[in-house]
Amino acid sequence: RVVARYAKHVLPTYGVFDEFRVFVPGEALVMVRVRGVDVALAICEDLWRDGGPVARYAGAGAELVLVLNGSPFERGKDDVRLRLARRRAAQAGCPLAYLNAVGGQDELVLDGGSFVVAADGTLLARAPQLVEDLLVLDVDAPARDATRALEADDVVHVVSEAPAPAREPLPAPVADPLGDVEALWAALVLALRDYVRKNGFARVALGLSGGIDSAVVAALAVDALGPDGLTGISLPSSYSSGHSRDDADDLAQRLGCDYRVVPVAPMVDAFIEHLSQQVDLSSVAGENLQARVRGAVLMALSNSEGHLVLATSNKSELSVGYSTLYGDSVGGFAPLKDVPKLVVWELARWRNADAQRRGDQPPIPENSIAKVPSAELAPGQTDQDSLPPYDVLDPLLERYVERAQGRGELVEAGFEPEVVDRVVSLVDGAEWKRRQFAPGPKVSAVAFGRDRRLPITSRWAESEAR
């Protein structure tokens, strides 16, 4: 009730929010007296601001600071929060409880991990990450000692003055933080589960190519929704290798999901027969036609049976436009949209190793992890026919997309000028494709669509600005 009445809605517009209203002036202090204890309230951004309300609560006699958060998951962010909370607790001179929401919301995934620190920085309690949890503990609050009077804009709401009855202090659980890749997997599972369920879907579907991307998305879907929540569809064409079909079969057997095989070669042949007199299908047009037939099959299943189709493209492909619009990019949600290709492999290896540790069968076929990536839209095709090797491409993309480094900095970092010019041109030229892509969970500092948006129409090019 108190939070609803006095909640502050002045929020940062970068990255997440684009609307704001004010119920309490931005510099006001909000205190609630509960059982005779003065509890200070702060919201989200207050914790990050030097000289903001949290630091000023010491002079107002706060005995506990509650920081209410809807802080989205981001790789490596948890350590930053803890360091900052320790600093603010010292400034406030009292314990600080960092209370974070849990759950998926469109492209955001709120990761929980609430914790309490003492004024001296000691970690008193921590909830597990990426799951709902009730964390209960007792803290020793300092005696109230206000050194200044509250100002006109400040708010004090008295709930009760009677002290709480004496009892033995409750033990404080301190959950171990998740490892980096484990936390990422859990974040993607939570984001997918909540997007599907909160939007009224019961099942998801995706094309199983036998490759690493579709295998990881399928494993995420089963972890999120169970085997009954996934329909995997093999869509072999005349260019599909035997091992790709075998790997898709193996994946479906390991996951225990609904599995169907719909050969697309006859459909593609019918298109070619009717189109070849009017359209040159000897190159990329023919390759894209095959991908779009697959997309049409997936969407037909969605229309017929109510499945949410999952796109399987990763951040590396999205960066450089290495996907077919209305083909392999088709879908209503893209779990790997903010996950680079090299990290996709990390996720697959971690998930298999985790299954082995628990005595379960690894869900992802080893061959899907080990083989050379290929869209199989032409004989013998591999990703590296069109792109630099991923161990070159991904570090370059990380610097250009997430760190916003220019051409000169990229060349100075050791990348070949020709590779830099080519990749930068691909990234800038693929903006129009990214605008039409499905939403997906933000798990990095800079995600396409939410944090990075270029003009589609522009004659300026980074490769020319030398």
Side-chain angles (χ1 to χ4, degrees):
R1 184 177 73 241
V2 173
V3 173
R5 172 66 181 83
Y6 296 118
K8 184 178 69 175
H9 290 262
V10 181
L11 296 171
T13 59
Y14 55 85
V16 178
F17 302 99
D18 50 23
E19 292 184 4
F20 58 89
R21 292 175 292 149
V22 179
F23 285 98
V24 174
E27 296 303 315
L29 303 184
V30 181
M31 307 255 302
V32 181
R33 186 163 297 162
V34 183
R35 295 287 192 175
V37 176
D38 281 342
V39 179
L41 298 182
I43 296 180
C44 192
E45 185 74 359
D46 292 339
L47 186 73
W48 300 83
R49 292 166 50 210
D50 285 320
V54 176
R56 292 166 49 221
Y57 275 125
E63 297 166 89
L64 173 68
V65 176
L66 299 183
V67 185
L68 312 179
N69 287 268
S71 181
F73 173 83
E74 189 178 299
R75 294 186 74 183
K77 188 176 183 180
D78 195 53
D79 289 342
V80 176
R81 292 169 177 161
L82 182 56
R83 288 196 299 270
L84 188 57
R86 282 172 163 153
R87 188 160 74 246
R88 294 290 182 254
Q91 292 172 340
C94 64
L96 182 147
Y98 181 93
L99 311 177
N100 195 27
V102 182
Q105 177 65 42
D106 292 348
E107 294 171 317
L108 302 179
V109 52
L110 311 176
D111 58 317
S114 300
F115 58 84
V116 182
V117 293
D120 64 1
T122 302
L123 180 62
L124 301 176
R126 178 166 52 202
Q129 295 171 270
L130 295 156
V131 294
E132 292 186 4
D133 187 71
L134 176 62
L135 182 64
V136 180
L137 75 154
D138 288 306
V139 296
D140 293 324
R144 189 185 307 136
D145 182 21
T147 58
R148 74 167 180 84
L150 294 174
E151 298 176 357
D153 288 335
D154 294 335
V155 177
V156 176
H157 184 89
V158 178
V159 176
S160 63
E161 291 282 10
R167 57 178 173 78
E168 288 296 316
L170 294 172
V174 180
D176 292 330
L178 300 178
D180 180 54
V181 181
E182 181 182 11
L184 177 58
W185 184 274
L188 295 173
V189 168
L190 178 59
L192 175 56
R193 179 190 299 124
D194 276 12
Y195 190 87
V196 171
R197 290 179 176 172
K198 291 178 180 179
N199 285 290
F201 291 94
R203 299 174 61 87
V204 297
L206 66 130
L208 299 184
S209 67
I212 185 65
D213 296 322
S214 65
V216 168
V217 171
L220 287 167
V222 168
D223 280 4
L225 306 170
D228 293 339
L230 170 65
T231 294
I233 307 173
S234 174
L235 300 160
S237 75
S238 57
Y239 300 129
S240 297
S241 61
H243 66 74
S244 291
R245 293 191 292 269
D246 292 343
D247 294 339
D249 294 348
D250 187 12
L251 174 70
Q253 184 275 326
R254 290 166 181 259
L255 296 177
C257 64
D258 176 27
Y259 179 56
R260 310 178 195 181
V261 179
V262 181
V264 298
M267 305 178 216
V268 174
D269 291 343
F271 269 96
I272 292 175
E273 178 183 352
H274 289 85
L275 276 177
S276 57
Q277 301 302 315
Q278 290 80 27
V279 179
D280 179 9
L281 299 175
S282 60
S283 59
V284 68
E287 295 177 8
N288 286 345
L289 176 61
Q290 180 176 268
R292 289 180 176 128
V293 169
R294 287 172 168 156
V297 173
L298 291 171
M299 292 311 299
L301 174 69
S302 174
N303 291 155
S304 174
E305 301 182 17
H307 294 64
L308 173 68
V309 175
L310 300 181
T312 61
S313 294
N314 57 66
K315 189 173 187 177
S316 304
E317 295 170 343
L318 195 66
S319 296
V320 296
Y322 191 67
S323 62
T324 301
L325 207 59
Y326 321 121
D328 58 327
S329 65
V330 75
F333 194 69
L336 301 180
K337 182 178 181 179
D338 199 28
V339 181
K341 185 76 169 190
L342 292 179
V343 180
V344 176
W345 275 306
E346 285 188 64
L347 287 167
R349 296 187 186 99
W350 176 85
R351 183 62 182 84
N352 278 2
D354 183 63
Q356 289 177 321
R357 281 192 295 270
R358 291 184 280 107
D360 297 335
Q361 181 185 41
I364 300 173
E366 184 59 35
N367 197 46
S368 294
I369 299 174
K371 66 185 175 183
V372 177
S374 170
E376 293 193 327
L377 298 180
Q381 180 191 52
T382 68
D383 291 5
Q384 308 307 255
D385 295 336
S386 305
L387 302 173
Y390 284 110
D391 58 359
V392 174
L393 178 63
D394 278 3
L396 196 162
L397 290 173
E398 193 272 335
R399 287 174 176 268
Y400 182 57
V401 173
E402 296 190 25
R403 300 195 212 174
Q405 292 186 355
R407 181 185 187 277
E409 293 170 293
L410 296 171
V411 172
E412 186 177 344
F415 297 100
E416 294 293 331
E418 296 79 8
V419 174
V420 171
D421 290 343
R422 180 180 167 210
V423 170
V424 165
S425 178
L426 287 171
V427 173
D428 292 354
E431 181 70 18
W432 67 281
K433 278 190 178 182
R434 290 191 291 269
R435 297 281 185 93
Q436 302 181 64
F437 207 77
K442 169 184 163 65
V443 294
S444 72
V446 177
F448 285 116
R450 182 168 287 283
D451 308 313
R452 189 182 193 277
R453 188 178 175 97
L454 299 174
I456 296 174
T457 305
S458 175
R459 297 185 64 184
W460 184 87
E462 166 68 25
S463 59
E464 298 169 357
R466 305 178 185 176

